[in-house]
């Protein structure tokens, strides 16, 4: 997720928390006749909302591990038959000739450090799994 969009979302959520907190405090002040209980209840509402806002801002930019794994470029994977394969966009770690898993006739020669291109099989570009030829 883009950090800018995430920050905007957190800012909007913070405003919602503040509005809800203000409404709850006003309702407490109007509805409860006991001044001691009004003060305690109002303080608790403000503290709970402040904690929620602080936690939300602390988590800004942090992603669960499952999201981080999805965002990382595909790394070289050893398959059961011990062939090296990788994905479009990943850097080449083992130089050689690779073919597309969907279009075996589509081949690319790769050098270490270069990024894998999309496959142009069927006259259209698509993300591909590239397999190192033995």
């Amino acid at each position: 997720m883009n950090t800018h969009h995430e920050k905007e979302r957190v800012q909007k959520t913070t405003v919602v928390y503040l509005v809800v907190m203000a409404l709850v405090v006003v309702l407490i002040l109007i509805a409860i006749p006991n001044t001691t209980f009004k003060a305690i209840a109002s303080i608790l509402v403000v503290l709970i909302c402040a904690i929620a806002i602080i936690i939300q801002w602390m988590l800004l930019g942090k992603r669960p591990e499952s999201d981080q794994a999805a965002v990382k470029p595909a790394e070289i994977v050893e398959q059961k038959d011990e062939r090296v394969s990788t994905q479009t966009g990943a850097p080449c770690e083992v130089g050689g000739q690779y073919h597309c898993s969907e279009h075996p006739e589509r081949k690319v020669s790769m050098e270490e450090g270069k990024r894998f291109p999309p496959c142009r099989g069927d006259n259209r570009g698509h993300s591909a799994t590239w397999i190192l030829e033995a």
Side-chain angles (χ1 to χ4, degrees):
M1 176 181 285
N2 189 333
T3 306
H4 178 70
H5 294 300
E6 188 177 1
K7 188 174 182 179
E8 285 179 358
R9 181 191 56 79
V10 170
Q11 288 173 340
K12 290 176 184 176
T13 306
T14 299
V15 170
V16 170
Y17 282 163
L18 292 173
V19 169
V20 168
M21 178 184 66
L23 289 174
V24 170
V25 169
V26 168
L27 287 174
I28 289 171
L29 295 175
I30 292 172
I32 299 175
N34 185 339
T35 55
T36 305
F37 190 68
K38 279 183 186 182
I40 293 172
S42 297
I43 291 171
L44 285 175
V45 168
V46 170
L47 285 175
I48 291 170
C49 285
I51 290 170
I53 291 170
I54 290 169
I55 289 172
Q56 155 178 293
W57 279 95
M58 287 174 58
L59 294 177
L60 178 66
K62 295 183 181 175
R63 296 183 181 145
E65 288 182 21
S66 61
D67 286 352
Q68 289 175 347
V71 172
K72 288 182 184 176
E75 297 178 9
I76 292 179
V77 178
E78 293 292 331
Q79 294 181 342
K80 290 181 183 176
D81 58 359
E82 296 186 13
R83 292 190 300 175
V84 176
S85 70
T86 188
Q87 298 289 320
T88 295
C92 179
E93 293 186 18
V94 179
Q97 185 151 357
Y98 289 77
H99 67 270
C100 174
S101 62
E102 293 179 36
H103 305 100
E105 70 282 357
R106 176 70 176 135
K107 298 178 183 186
V108 293
S109 293
M110 296 297 297
E111 297 174 10
E112 287 185 32
K114 290 194 172 188
R115 297 205 176 268
F116 282 89
C119 175
R120 302 276 186 230
D122 296 335
N123 295 324
R124 62 174 179 84
H126 69 90
S127 182
T129 299
W130 294 101
I131 301 170
L132 180 64
E133 295 184 349

